[in-house]
């Protein structure tokens, strides 16, 4: 179902004309209203009027998370506070959060984008949306909420936590669409199982899962356990929140980026150079309609690639492939680049292993040591010790084979790795570098 037929199916040429016009207006505006951007542009001798084509965007300096921190809390806002109607923040990995603001029109834009995303998952006015994203400073909860209302669906603002109650409510209220993080979706499946509730008997038809990277194997697991179509949704508060890109039900192969509002580029994370179409690299976004908090060439640190092939659904927006990792949470272990999602893919290939794992990195005698804690299923754990040892050996061998890194694999009992109601903690890096 395409919510915004006029925009989502624009011929490429018409789309690019809109992008150019909006980009020019955005650059003019940030240059006039945000001292940070004016200085950045001046430093490299760039004037907004220099931008004659979309290609010229390459001349504009990047913005980083550090820039957002340095201008905490409101330094990058492009409108007076009296025009700001909402403030969100994302938890920083260290110290102060990253603060973003919205005008009334920004909220309207965001709601429309989320309505598009929910429609791409097949949601209509008749659907009941169980929204288990956290409500609060985090953009997940309210982002989905406003989109669901804009669509005209019925939204249950359940937020995160209190999982047993969630199961009861999804059963009693007859929810048809589920929205939460992929790890929480699997947690819901576990708790439902304990309670003797089978997702087969619930009414869910689709789910939008995001806010953390996940794999194709995890999709299969979620679809099998929750009996629904599991779609990937992408967004980050710096850019707008959820609803920057979404998979369509028809193809389930990459996320359409809402390009009439955001320009996406893929760069080499080391050199900053824009990479040729189809290459994997760091995703960079420029917002072209936002008023309160425009971002110019914002480096997401997410590693992915873009696919410009036409899609069966009819949308003409480019698709981003699943985020395969982050250029900054990439672990380098004895010189080998390791993404947690790669370990996950290995684990999901193995029978009897649960998708709950944790990587612990230590440094002893100047050597990195990777320990992978892996939960095994109830049935595997009740098996003989010999079987568990064999399982450990297989995982160790496969990690070595696929990633080229030696790891110590430790199997742990079901449900011993801490479950988070939001993002899963996949890596504990104890190295002091
Ligand atoms: Zn599509």
């Amino acid at each position: 179902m395409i919510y915004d037929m006029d925009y989502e199916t624009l011929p490429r040429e018409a789309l690019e004309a809109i992008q150019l016009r909006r980009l020019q207006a955005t650059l003019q505006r940030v240059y006039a209203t945000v001292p940070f951007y004016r200085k950045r542009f001046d430093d490299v001798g760039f004037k907004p009027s220099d931008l004659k084509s979309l290609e010229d965007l390459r001349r504009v300096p990047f913005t980083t998370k550090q820039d957002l921190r340095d201008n905490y809390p409101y330094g990058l806002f492009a409108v007076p506070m009296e025009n700001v109607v909402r403030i969100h923040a994302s938890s920083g990995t260290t110290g102060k959060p990253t603060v973003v603001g919205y005008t009334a029109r920004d909220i309207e834009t965001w709601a429309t984008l989320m309505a598009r995303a929910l429609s791409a998952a097949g949601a209509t006015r008749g659907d009941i949306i169980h929204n288990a994203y956290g409500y609060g400073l985090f953009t997940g909860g309210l982002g989905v909420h406003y989109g669901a209302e804009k669509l005209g669906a019925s939204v249950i603002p359940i937020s995160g936590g209190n999982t047993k109650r969630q199961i009861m409510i999804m059963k009693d209220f007859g929810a048809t669409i589920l929205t939460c993080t992929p790890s929480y979706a699997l947690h819901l499946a576990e708790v439902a199982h304990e309670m003797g509730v089978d997702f087969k008997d619930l009414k869910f038809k689709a789910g939008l899962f995001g806010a953390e990277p996940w794999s194709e194997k995890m999709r299969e697991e979620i679809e099998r356990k929750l009996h629904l179509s599991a779609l990937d949704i992408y967004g980050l508060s710096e850019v707008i929140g959820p609803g920057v890109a979404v998979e369509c039900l028809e193809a389930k192969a990459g996320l359409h980026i809402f390009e009439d509002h955001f320009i996406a580029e893929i760069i080499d994370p080391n050199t900053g150079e824009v990479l040729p179409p189809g290459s994997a690299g760091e995703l960079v976004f420029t917002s072209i309609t936002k008023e309160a908090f425009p971002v110019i060439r914002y480096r997401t640190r997410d590693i992915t690639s873009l696919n410009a092939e036409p899609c069966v659904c009819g949308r003409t927006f480019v698709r981003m492939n699943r985020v395969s990792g982050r250029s900054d949470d990439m672990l380098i272990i004895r010189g080998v680049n390791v993404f947690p999602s790669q370990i996950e893919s290995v684990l999901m290939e193995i029978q009897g292993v649960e998708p709950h794992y944790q990587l612990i990195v230590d440094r002893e005698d100047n050597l990195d040591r990777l320990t992978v804690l892996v939960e095994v299923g109830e049935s595997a754990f009740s098996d003989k010790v010999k079987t568990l040892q064999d399982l450990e050996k297989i995982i160790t061998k496969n990690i070595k084979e696929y990633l080229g890194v030696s790891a110590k694999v430790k199997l742990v009992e079901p449900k011993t790795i801490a479950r988070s109601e939001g993002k899963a903690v996949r890596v504990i890096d104890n190295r002091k570098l």
Side-chain angles (χ1 to χ4, degrees):
M1 206 96 36
I2 298 183
Y3 181 79
D4 248 341
M5 195 58 95
D6 289 351
Y7 282 100
E8 294 181 76
T9 60
L10 273 173
R12 212 57 217 175
E13 207 172 302
L15 173 64
E16 284 173 8
I18 290 174
Q19 284 184 321
L20 180 60
R21 206 178 61 235
R22 290 179 170 179
L23 176 61
Q24 283 167 332
T26 297
L27 293 179
Q28 297 282 0
R29 207 154 43 77
V30 299
Y31 190 78
T33 57
V34 185
F36 165 82
Y37 284 118
R38 175 186 287 263
K39 182 169 183 318
R40 270 290 160 89
F41 292 5
D42 285 345
D43 284 349
V44 298
F46 175 83
K47 294 269 174 291
S49 56
D50 294 346
L51 187 116
K52 308 285 188 212
S53 72
L54 290 173
E55 291 272 294
D56 291 338
L57 182 58
R58 296 175 185 202
R59 295 186 44 205
V60 179
F62 294 113
T63 308
T64 64
K65 185 113 177 159
Q66 187 60 45
D67 294 325
L68 271 48
R69 262 186 226 128
D70 293 344
N71 288 280
Y72 177 85
Y74 304 137
L76 295 182
F77 282 21
V79 298
M81 280 311 279
E82 66 211 52
N83 294 345
V84 172
V85 301
R86 177 96 64 83
I87 293 166
H88 278 287
S90 61
S91 52
T93 40
T94 49
K96 305 272 191 193
T98 301
V99 181
V100 299
Y102 304 79
T103 63
R105 200 176 136 226
D106 290 335
I107 295 287
E108 177 66 22
T109 302
W110 188 17
T112 302
L113 297 182
M114 268 314 305
R116 286 182 184 181
L118 289 161
S119 295
T124 63
R125 297 177 56 84
D127 280 298
I128 300 175
I129 296 170
H130 185 97
N131 183 22
Y133 280 114
Y135 281 64
L137 282 176
F138 173 57
T139 47
L142 285 170
V144 171
H145 186 104
Y146 274 62
E149 287 189 350
K150 175 94 183 164
L151 183 64
S154 315
V155 57
I156 302 170
I158 192 87
S159 196
N162 211 339
T163 307
K164 281 189 176 157
R165 187 163 157 268
Q166 296 226 7
I167 304 289
M168 179 194 79
I169 285 178
M170 47 178 69
K171 186 163 167 263
D172 294 350
F173 291 16
T176 51
I177 304 279
L178 175 63
T179 52
C180 61
T181 60
S183 56
Y184 193 60
L186 286 174
H187 182 57
L188 283 166
E190 262 175 12
V191 175
H193 183 72
E194 279 166 17
M195 291 167 70
V197 173
D198 193 333
F199 266 86
K200 235 188 343 225
D201 303 326
L202 305 188
K203 297 213 169 71
F204 286 113
K205 57 183 190 187
L208 281 178
F209 306 108
E212 62 189 20
W214 48 307
S215 58
E216 212 49 44
K217 285 279 160 193
M218 205 157 158
R219 179 187 339 246
E220 285 166 24
E221 178 105 11
I222 291 174
E223 294 195 330
R224 184 162 49 78
K225 289 187 172 166
L226 277 75
H227 295 272
L228 46 72
S229 276
L231 301 177
D232 199 357
I233 180 167
Y234 177 86
L236 60 171
S237 62
E238 296 93 321
V239 177
I240 202 163
V244 173
V246 71
E247 280 186 321
C248 58
L249 200 55
E250 294 88 339
K252 270 195 209 174
L255 302 86
H256 290 283
I257 295 172
F258 294 132
E259 289 182 283
D260 52 335
H261 294 272
F262 313 105
I263 295 176
E265 299 170 280
I266 297 288
I267 63 162
D268 179 324
N270 299 312
T271 64
E273 240 172 284
V274 175
L275 295 173
S279 315
E282 182 180 337
L283 183 61
V284 171
F285 277 112
T286 299
S287 71
I288 50 174
T289 54
K290 272 168 76 189
E291 293 181 333
F293 191 81
V295 280
I296 309 299
R297 300 197 87 196
Y298 182 70
R299 294 185 60 161
T300 65
R301 298 287 172 186
D302 285 328
I303 302 294
T304 182
S305 55
L306 301 181
N307 172 11
E309 294 290 306
C311 186
V312 288
C313 72
R315 288 176 185 81
T316 50
F317 293 149
V318 72
R319 280 176 283 170
M320 59 182 268
N321 291 311
R322 276 180 181 286
V323 171
S324 62
R326 287 179 55 81
S327 66
D328 59 356
D329 84 353
M330 182 178 75
L331 292 165
I332 301 180
I333 295 164
R334 298 190 182 196
V336 179
N337 297 348
V338 175
F339 287 110
S341 54
Q342 295 174 304
I343 301 268
E344 184 177 302
S345 301
V346 170
L347 296 180
M348 298 294 283
E349 297 286 345
I350 298 167
Q351 201 66 35
V353 166
E354 295 291 311
H356 297 291
Y357 65 97
Q358 204 162 50
L359 312 184
I360 300 167
V361 194
D362 292 290
R363 178 161 285 192
E364 281 175 15
D365 300 321
N366 291 315
L367 280 179
D368 293 333
R369 216 187 52 186
L370 172 65
T371 307
V372 184
L373 301 184
V374 184
E375 269 189 27
V376 292
E378 208 85 36
S379 57
F381 213 84
S382 56
D383 283 349
K384 293 194 182 73
V385 177
K386 175 80 175 72
T387 325
L388 288 177
Q389 282 171 348
D390 287 346
L391 198 53
E392 274 181 4
K393 271 188 202 147
I394 294 168
I395 299 171
T396 308
K397 180 173 154 284
N398 286 6
I399 289 175
K400 177 76 189 166
E401 229 163 66
Y402 292 116
L403 284 85
V405 68
S406 301
K408 183 177 167 50
V409 174
K410 263 193 207 164
L411 299 182
V412 295
E413 294 191 43
K415 302 184 186 62
T416 44
I417 293 175
R419 299 288 192 272
S420 102
E421 313 265 276
K423 297 193 187 199
V425 179
R426 299 295 195 203
V427 177
I428 297 173
D429 195 340
N430 295 321
R431 291 175 295 184
K432 305 264 185 296
L433 299 177

